[in-house]
Structures are given as C-alpha cells and as structure tokens.
Amino acid sequence: MILHELISIELLRVIWWLLLGILLIGFAMTDGFDMGVGALLPFVAKSDVERRIAINTVGPVWEGNQVWFILGGGAIFAAWPPLYAVSFSGFYLAMFAVLAALILRPVAFKYRSKHESPRWRSNWDWALFVGGAVPALIFGVAVGNVLQGVPFRFTEDLHAIYEGTFYGKFLGLLNPFAILTGLVSFGMLLMHGAAWLVVKTDGVVAERARRIGVWMGLVALAGYAIAGLWLAFGIDGYAMVGQVVVDGPSNPLHSDVVREGSWLAVYGERPWIAIAPVLGFLGLIMAIRGLRSGGEISPLLWSKLGILGVISSVGLTMFPFILPSSIHPTSSLTVWDASSSQLTLFVMLVSTIIFLPIILAYTAWVYRVLWGKVTADDVTSNSESVY
C-alpha cells in the first residue's frame, strides 16, 4: 500500500475541515485582539503617550499573529481549491477591502512615530482604527452571507460562475442578516481587544477599555442570540439527500442538495454540537462579567472561549457544507466534494504535523518573553520602543 493511502480520503477531508476551523479560530484569538486594539485606539487612549502604550501592547506580536491568517488562506488554497476559487471571486471587492485594511495596518505601525507632528500621528492612529475595524466587520459579514448561500453555480465542465454584479459583489453583501453577523464579529473582537488591553495596561487606558469592552460584549452577545433565532425561523438551511458519497471524486455536481427546513435542524440529528453555542454564550457572558468586576486575566480567557464557541457553532451547524449556493443548491461545496486529492491532503497533513507545533512553541515563547504590562515609562524612556 502506498503511504498516503494509509489514511482514507474521507478521514483526510474531515481532518482538513477541522484544521481549517482551528486556523480560523487561532486567527480570531490572536490577531483578533490586534484588530480590536486598533479599532479601540482612538477611544481608549486620548494623549500621545496613552496611544503609544496601547500600540505597544500589540506592536511586538501582531506580525506573528497574522501568520494564522496566512495559514488559513493557504489551507483554503491547497486543501479546498473550489472554495478558494469561488469565495475569492465572489467576494473579490470585500476581500480587497480587507486586504487594503490589513496592508494599511503595518504601514501605520511603522510610520506613526516617525514624525512628532500631532496631526501626522493622529492620521496614522485613525489608519490603525480602519485596519482593525474593517476586517473585524467584514469577516462577520462574510459569515452571514455564507449562511444564507452565495449566488454561484458550476457548469458541466466545473467552471464556476458567480452571478453577482458590482452591487451583488459588495453592496449586496450588506444585507440585514449579514450586517447583524458583522456586528457580532465586530463586537466580539473589540471586546477581545479590550480584554487584552486590561491585561497589558493599567490606569485610564485599562479603565476605558473595560467600559467599552463591556458594551462591545453586550453587542456581540445580543447579536449572537438574535442571529440564532433568525437562523431558526428566517433562513432556509441546506441538506444532502439520497446516497452521500464521502470518498468520491471532488465534483459538487455529483451530490444532490436541496434547500429546505432550518440550519438548526441538525441539532436534532447531532445534539452534541450544542456544546458550541453553549460555549459561545458562556464565554461572552463571563468575559463581560469579568470586565465589569475588575478581572484581568479572566476576561481574556473567557473571551477566547467565546470566540471558540461562536466560530465553532457556525462550522458545526453547517457541516458538511462549507459554501452553499443560493441559486443552484447542487453546486454547493461540501467537505465531501470540494477537496484536493488524497495525496495532496496527506502531504499537507504531514507538513502541518511537523511545522504547526514549531509555530505554537515559538508563539508561546514570544508571549512568555513579552509578558507584563506596558507603562508610560516603557514607551518614553525605552529607546527600543519604536511605536
């Protein structure tokens, strides 16, 4: 038997679905607080010193945190090529806005303190706000559109066609449900950023972060509850009918998919997945409570649990769908029919087993070395403070 055939294609597909989820959750837990701090910057820090304190809480780690985003994009490209092709084509303008914001962020980090002009620094501070707020919002909007289905279809030769116009490719994404999920993401990541500032700063910056973090957490909590009710009663789900081939070729047109019922019907079939939304609600509620009661480490840990639960609930609710089609349900991409070959998935898995622990160990070491609060003295008297 050839080595890569030791693991079945069915198992490899599930493993890579799990790994994609892990990478996205890892990105939200790490780069999420970077984006949250950036979006909070003009509101939690009023003076130049206060803003330098806030920036220096994420300055040494944001580049490493962004690795999770790169890994996630790479995983989609290599493990799920049809997903990469359709999503990056259909969401092109939204993706461009996200990438523009993410490109603006490092420029702002590097150039903000190059000039002492208050106006110069204020402009770059608002650039950091855009670099944090725009991705935090658009990522959630994208999830809302995926849950509703995306207007694409495949021809008989598997050529992907996205039916949207300019309006559909950007402005059309801003429908009411997607805006709601965008607010959930926005509130959740800003609360996460506030929890990070509470850990890394003290004084007025930390106190402002607490107050704003509580409000952002309430926005995320209320939005998450409303989105769940909306999914239950206002949005049709998707289901595979007939014989489901889990180890067949990667051809979405071979599957029979219908759009009916509710997404939440799967909780009757797989009740164990209810643990995900329970963790989501528990994490958000306890993070809000921790921020209000004066906790330091606990709000950050609870916030991470909330992120885990919220993102996991989306993936587990949709399984095995990863990108449904609103205009041609049969073209919907699922775990069973949108992956790369067995050999590709196996080689990538071996590489992941080797390199992911190295990334985790290095990340843990960096946070251990840089642990501790950032103070005014650190940013004014330390010649190595470049932000």
Side-chain angles (χ1 to χ4, degrees):
M1 178 180 292
I2 301 175
L3 185 61
H4 72 269
E5 294 180 349
L6 292 173
I7 304 179
S8 68
I9 182 67
E10 175 187 358
L11 181 56
L12 283 170
R13 284 167 169 166
V14 173
I15 288 173
W16 272 101
W17 174 79
L18 288 170
L19 284 174
L20 179 59
I22 290 171
L23 293 173
L24 294 178
I25 292 170
F27 170 64
M29 285 184 175
T30 55
D31 207 38
F33 67 70
D34 294 343
M35 292 186 288
V37 170
L40 290 170
L41 183 62
F43 311 104
V44 299
K46 302 302 182 179
S47 68
D48 182 66
V49 171
E50 289 175 358
R51 292 186 177 184
R52 289 186 65 197
I53 290 172
I55 292 170
N56 274 275
T57 65
V58 297
V61 298
W62 71 267
E63 288 177 294
N65 292 341
Q66 206 158 257
V67 167
W68 293 95
F69 181 66
I70 298 170
L71 290 175
I76 294 175
F77 174 77
W80 311 100
L83 173 62
Y84 182 89
V86 174
S87 60
F88 276 71
S89 175
F91 295 159
Y92 177 80
L93 294 177
M95 291 289 185
F96 183 84
V98 169
L99 290 175
L102 292 179
I103 291 171
L104 184 63
R105 184 172 60 165
V107 177
F109 274 127
K110 298 301 182 183
Y111 279 90
R112 183 203 182 270
S113 295
K114 298 297 184 183
H115 199 292
E116 294 185 0
S117 165
R119 183 175 180 181
W120 168 274
R121 293 190 173 188
S122 177
N123 288 339
W124 286 118
D125 289 339
W126 282 104
L128 286 172
F129 167 80
V130 172
V134 169
L137 180 65
I138 291 183
F139 285 139
V141 168
V143 171
N145 280 278
V146 169
L147 284 166
Q148 295 175 92
V150 179
F152 73 94
R153 62 182 175 85
F154 286 103
T155 63
E156 292 184 358
D157 59 356
L158 296 183
H159 174 63
I161 298 177
Y162 190 91
E163 298 290 354
T165 60
F166 174 83
Y167 173 82
K169 288 187 176 183
F170 189 72
L171 298 180
L173 300 178
L174 301 178
N175 55 76
F177 181 75
I179 292 174
L180 175 63
T181 56
L183 289 176
V184 173
S185 172
F186 184 80
M188 183 172 66
L189 295 185
L190 264 67
M191 181 192 70
H192 196 45
W196 176 254
L197 286 173
V198 167
V199 172
K200 296 290 290 182
T201 68
D202 52 21
V204 293
V205 174
E207 288 307 311
R208 292 181 190 129
R210 283 187 188 279
R211 291 196 299 269
I212 299 175
V214 168
W215 285 107
M216 290 296 99
L218 290 173
V219 167
L221 181 63
Y224 187 49
I226 295 171
L229 293 173
W230 201 328
L231 276 180
F233 303 108
I235 295 177
D236 291 335
Y238 290 76
M240 301 182 73
V241 296
Q243 183 180 5
V244 179
V245 180
V246 298
D247 57 355
S250 292
N251 185 343
L253 299 181
H254 284 178
S255 302
D256 192 5
V257 176
V258 296
R259 187 171 191 182
E260 61 181 11
S262 165
W263 275 120
L264 302 192
V266 298
Y267 287 85
E269 303 168 5
R270 306 191 298 268
W272 62 270
I273 68 175
I275 186 63
V278 168
L279 292 178
F281 281 114
L282 177 64
L284 292 174
I285 291 171
M286 294 303 293
I288 295 169
R289 182 176 181 272
L291 288 169
R292 292 187 62 183
S293 63
E296 287 199 355
I297 300 295
S298 62
L300 182 64
L301 297 179
W302 284 118
S303 179
K304 289 180 181 293
L305 182 67
I307 290 172
L308 171 65
V310 169
I311 297 178
S312 297
S313 66
V314 176
L316 291 171
T317 299
M318 291 183 60
F319 184 86
F321 292 92
I322 50 179
L323 189 64
S325 170
S326 60
I327 60 174
H328 190 236
T330 300
S331 294
S332 298
L333 301 178
T334 75
V335 172
W336 312 127
D337 55 28
S339 74
S340 293
S341 68
Q342 185 173 2
L343 176 59
T344 299
L345 296 179
F346 179 80
V347 171
M348 288 175 56
L349 179 60
V350 172
S351 300
T352 301
I353 292 173
I354 294 172
F355 291 107
L356 187 58
I358 297 174
I359 294 173
L360 290 172
Y362 173 75
T363 301
W365 177 80
V366 168
Y367 279 96
R368 181 177 179 274
V369 170
L370 297 175
W371 194 251
K373 292 186 179 293
V374 180
T375 66
D377 184 62
D378 291 329
V379 301
T380 56
S381 63
N382 186 356
S383 61
E384 295 182 359
S385 175
V386 297
Y387 300 108

